[in-house]
Each structure stands twice: as structure tokens, then as C-alpha cells.
Amino acid sequence: MRWTSQQLNQPLFAQQPAPDTPAVPLLPLAGLVKSVQTPEFAGITFHEVLAKSALNKVPPSSTMPFEWTVNPYRGCSHACVYCFARKSHTYLDFDSGVDFDSQVVVKVNVAQVLRKELLKPSWQRHHVALGTNTDPYQRAEGRYRLMPGIIAALADSGTPFSILTKGTLLARDIGLLRTAGESVSVGMGISLALVDEGLAQAIEPGTPSPKARLALISKLREANLPCGVMAMPILPWLTDSEEALDALFGALAHAGATGVSAGALYLRPGTREWFMQWLAREHPSLVGRYQRLYGPGAYASKEYRQWLSVRVNEAKSRHGFTSEGFIHDARREEAQYPAGSMPTTVTPGTGSTTGTGIRRIPLHGGSLRKKAGTPVGTPASSSLAPTLF
């Protein structure tokens, strides 16, 4: 079915206009071109907009290890009940629950606008991060194909960049990423915090399965690309057992992840309400425990985080990962990104690295170099290559 034939001709919110009332925009979104629905994405509305800018400046107060981001989408069909970005949807007059999952804003011209911004004489070729708010490889990317143009624009301008995603659509662009790696440093990160397929389907229903993401990690490593893993969030009483963590880090090591950072569930406003509703439906016996553990705040108690840090580091050590990278407080430790997930900058003439302190992995030819954070004795395996979707 033709995508362009799916334009909505009625307001999204049922209203009965008075006779002879002039037509009004579907939503007060800046640059709105049209809103579309299609049976392929049942229950989701895409709002196609023309963006005036693509680069977003990170506030100076942030501890993020980058200064600029690009977000081709707002809202996310992954529908992760714990997603920290839910609150940002309210800035568009959507709610942080159902709307975040089903009302997706698409910046259809983002690659063209980005290219113009990167060509400005004032651009200093700072690291640009993708996937910091909503996922650039969510399912709609298969239709809109915004990322190839973004990758090309960044590489052509000499701008180092990183991508963090749960989307196996990334596999489509591995060739482009290898080519980009010839001229700029590229960081790759996969978000994966559990390997229980049933729980994953319940808590992040729109994402590729853990098995598919593990296969993607192997595929990236086979392509000689780095791949760090953000094992967040670890869920109290659901994914924090010794058995669950051992299974997770064992699978990540076998897949060839270059490093792992982990942290407990973070329940900021907007996320907290949605997650607790889910918990009450699916695990009502845990509601009281979570209320006591988190109190009125966004963080689990300090005692719990210290306990979890020890358990995580023990599991990581058993599987060849360094014990660094547990995030106790996202407000102060956001810079603890895993090895391979951030681009590296080599100081000309010195061979030393800056930024992440991780040596760049060769992208073409040669063997994979052993480096800090690389699992011991766990090269990417060609046997771990089921079909990606």
C-alpha cells in the first residue's frame, strides 16, 4: 500500500467542527507536512515535519561525553515501558505514555539540513551522538531511510559520530559505517540489558529480540566495527539475580562486545508513572517493594545501587569485562560509556588518544586488537548469525 496514500484527512482527536468551520492543522507541530497511518504500522501515526535545524547543542551543565546530538525521530515505537525519554514528548503537547509509543514525529529533511549545517565555516567537527533520546533505528527507519543520509553527511564533513540503538535495522548500514570509518572515528553502541525473551517482549514490546540484538553485535564485530553495550536498565527483582546477570554478560562476551556499562532502573517523572502502571498490571506483588526502594525520587536507594554494583562487577569479571562502568547516578556519571561506543580522537603526530581514552579499532584488514574492555577469548562467532529483522 502506498505510504503517501495514507495521509489523514481528519483530526487525530475526535471533534465535530461546526458547519463551515475552516480546516485546521492536525496538530500544532512546527513544520508539519502531513500525518500518516498505514496497516504496516497498526496503531501508530507518523507526523512528517520539515525541520529547520538538525544539530542540537547539549547544555554546558551536562556531563555527557559529547556536545551535539541529532534526533531524526521524536517518540519511539519500541514502546519500552522504562524509557527515560518519555517526558520529552510532553514538550510537543503529547502525553508521555501511549502517545510516546504511537505518535512519532519524523524529520523527513533532517539529512539535507544536517549537511548544510556541517558545511558552515563555524562548524568545529565536534563529536555528534545519535540515539541519545529516541532510537534512530526504530522500525520506521526501514521506510524513511534517514540514517544513510545522516551518516554520509557526517563522514563527508569529517565529523566523528556515535550511534546507540536497539534496532537491528542498523545491519542495513554496516557497509556505510565501514566506509565512514575510513575518514572519521565511529562509535557503536547497542542497548541490551536482559536476555529473557519473554520478559523482553513484555517490557520492550516493539524492540528486536535479545537474540537478534546479540546477533547484531556479532555482525558488527565481524565487520571489524567496535560495539559497546549499554546494559541498562537492570530491573530490581526482575533482572538483577546472579543467574540473570551471568546469562546477560556471558551472552555479551560470546557475541564479542567491546565493553559494557550497566546501571539500575532510573524512574524520572513521566517514566515513573508509566512504568509503575505496567508493574501494577504485570507484577503487582512488586509494587510495594519498588515504592520503598525508590521512595519519591528517581533513583533506587544508595544501598541497593552499591549492592547491584558489586553483583554486576562480579558477573562482568567472570566473562572477561573490566569492572568499570557501573552507573550509580546518571546525572553525574553519564560519561561512563562502554568501550567502543564513543569515537576516539588521535592527537596528530603523537598516536595518543583523547576523549574516551580507547584506542581506535581498525576498520579494514588486520586482526582485531586486544584492548581494555574486550572479552577474553571471545571473538565474534560466525555461528551467531540468525536472520536480522
Side-chain angles (χ1 to χ4, degrees), residues 168 192 194-195 197 208-216 384 386 388-389:
T168 50
L192 179 59
L194 72 164
V195 292
E197 299 283 344
S209 69
K211 182 179 180 181
R213 276 177 275 171
L214 288 167
L216 176 61
L384 292 178
L388 301 177
F389 57 86

Side-chain angles (χ1 to χ4, degrees), residues 169-359:
L169 275 166
L170 171 67
R172 179 200 66 193
D173 294 341
I174 285 178
L176 292 174
L177 292 164
R178 283 177 57 89
T179 299
E182 295 176 356
S183 55
V184 299
S185 182
V186 177
M188 299 300 308
I190 300 299
S191 178
L192 179 59
L194 72 164
V195 292
D196 183 318
E197 299 283 344
L199 182 58
Q201 178 60 33
I203 202 165
E204 42 187 40
T207 64
S209 69
K211 182 179 180 181
R213 276 177 275 171
L214 288 167
L216 176 61
I217 294 169
S218 292
K219 197 172 185 69
L220 287 166
R221 300 300 289 126
E222 288 165 359
N224 218 4
L225 288 164
C227 185
V229 173
M230 293 295 287
M232 297 177 67
I234 304 299
L235 306 173
W237 299 292
L238 291 173
T239 62
D240 63 352
S241 69
E242 184 174 340
E243 294 76 14
L245 294 172
D246 196 63
L248 172 64
F249 293 115
L252 294 178
H254 189 55
T258 53
V260 185
S261 289
L265 175 67
Y266 173 48
L267 292 177
R268 65 185 297 184
T271 301
R272 182 187 180 102
E273 296 82 359
W274 193 246
F275 177 84
M276 292 303 290
Q277 288 179 31
W278 174 86
L279 193 70
R281 291 194 308 271
E282 302 294 330
H283 300 277
S285 64
L286 293 181
V287 171
R289 290 186 181 184
Y290 270 76
Q291 290 173 338
R292 290 188 293 273
L293 184 63
Y294 282 83
Y299 292 91
S301 69
K302 180 180 179 180
E303 293 75 18
Y304 174 82
R305 284 181 279 128
Q306 290 174 336
W307 172 84
L308 181 61
S309 176
V310 172
R311 176 164 282 188
V312 163
N313 288 335
E314 288 175 348
K316 288 174 68 176
S317 295
R318 283 195 296 272
H319 296 285
F321 294 107
T322 67
S323 61
E324 299 176 355
F326 187 85
I327 299 175
H328 287 274
D329 186 340
R331 294 170 299 184
R332 297 184 177 89
E333 301 179 32
E334 291 167 323
Q336 291 192 12
Y337 274 63
S341 63
M342 294 286 104
T344 61
T345 302
V346 179
T347 304
T350 68
S352 63
T353 61
T354 61
T356 62
I358 304 163
R359 286 200 174 274

Side-chain angles (χ1 to χ4, degrees), residues 32-320:
L32 180 66
V33 177
K34 64 178 182 288
S35 296
V36 298
Q37 291 177 338
T38 176
E40 181 184 1
F41 295 87
I44 300 176
T45 300
F46 296 97
H47 305 284
E48 299 178 358
V49 303
L50 295 177
K52 291 185 177 180
S53 64
L55 288 165
N56 308 302
K57 186 73 168 69
V58 177
S61 59
S62 173
T63 59
M64 287 288 188
F66 42 80
E67 297 181 48
W68 298 89
T69 66
V70 172
N71 294 296
Y73 302 95
R74 300 285 298 274
C76 187
S77 61
H78 285 340
C80 303
V81 297
Y82 55 74
C83 182
F84 73 91
R86 287 184 172 276
K87 182 71 174 179
S88 66
H89 225 42
T90 63
Y91 308 155
L92 304 176
D93 291 328
F94 290 121
D95 70 52
S96 59
V98 173
D99 285 353
F100 182 84
D101 303 338
S102 63
Q103 304 292 332
V104 178
V105 177
V106 185
K107 302 174 184 177
V108 292
N109 65 334
V110 65
Q112 296 91 327
V113 173
L114 177 62
R115 183 172 289 274
K116 291 180 180 179
E117 292 178 331
L118 296 174
L119 290 176
K120 292 180 179 179
S122 59
W123 176 243
Q124 299 296 305
R125 296 179 177 84
H126 294 289
H127 166 203
V128 172
L130 295 111
T132 61
N133 191 51
T134 54
D135 201 314
Y137 282 103
Q138 58 182 285
R139 282 185 60 215
E141 172 60 17
R143 165 58 180 82
Y144 285 104
R145 299 184 64 87
L146 302 179
M147 285 299 290
I150 292 172
I151 292 168
L154 291 165
D156 290 348
S157 69
T159 300
F161 64 93
S162 63
I163 298 172
L164 177 62
T165 183
K166 294 177 181 176
T168 50
L169 275 166
L170 171 67
R172 179 200 66 193
D173 294 341
I174 285 178
L176 292 174
L177 292 164
R178 283 177 57 89
T179 299
E182 295 176 356
S183 55
V184 299
S185 182
V186 177
M188 299 300 308
I190 300 299
S191 178
L192 179 59
L194 72 164
V195 292
D196 183 318
E197 299 283 344
L199 182 58
Q201 178 60 33
I203 202 165
E204 42 187 40
T207 64
S209 69
K211 182 179 180 181
R213 276 177 275 171
L214 288 167
L216 176 61
I217 294 169
S218 292
K219 197 172 185 69
L220 287 166
R221 300 300 289 126
E222 288 165 359
N224 218 4
L225 288 164
C227 185
V229 173
M230 293 295 287
M232 297 177 67
I234 304 299
L235 306 173
W237 299 292
L238 291 173
T239 62
D240 63 352
S241 69
E242 184 174 340
E243 294 76 14
L245 294 172
D246 196 63
L248 172 64
F249 293 115
L252 294 178
H254 189 55
T258 53
V260 185
S261 289
L265 175 67
Y266 173 48
L267 292 177
R268 65 185 297 184
T271 301
R272 182 187 180 102
E273 296 82 359
W274 193 246
F275 177 84
M276 292 303 290
Q277 288 179 31
W278 174 86
L279 193 70
R281 291 194 308 271
E282 302 294 330
H283 300 277
S285 64
L286 293 181
V287 171
R289 290 186 181 184
Y290 270 76
Q291 290 173 338
R292 290 188 293 273
L293 184 63
Y294 282 83
Y299 292 91
S301 69
K302 180 180 179 180
E303 293 75 18
Y304 174 82
R305 284 181 279 128
Q306 290 174 336
W307 172 84
L308 181 61
S309 176
V310 172
R311 176 164 282 188
V312 163
N313 288 335
E314 288 175 348
K316 288 174 68 176
S317 295
R318 283 195 296 272
H319 296 285

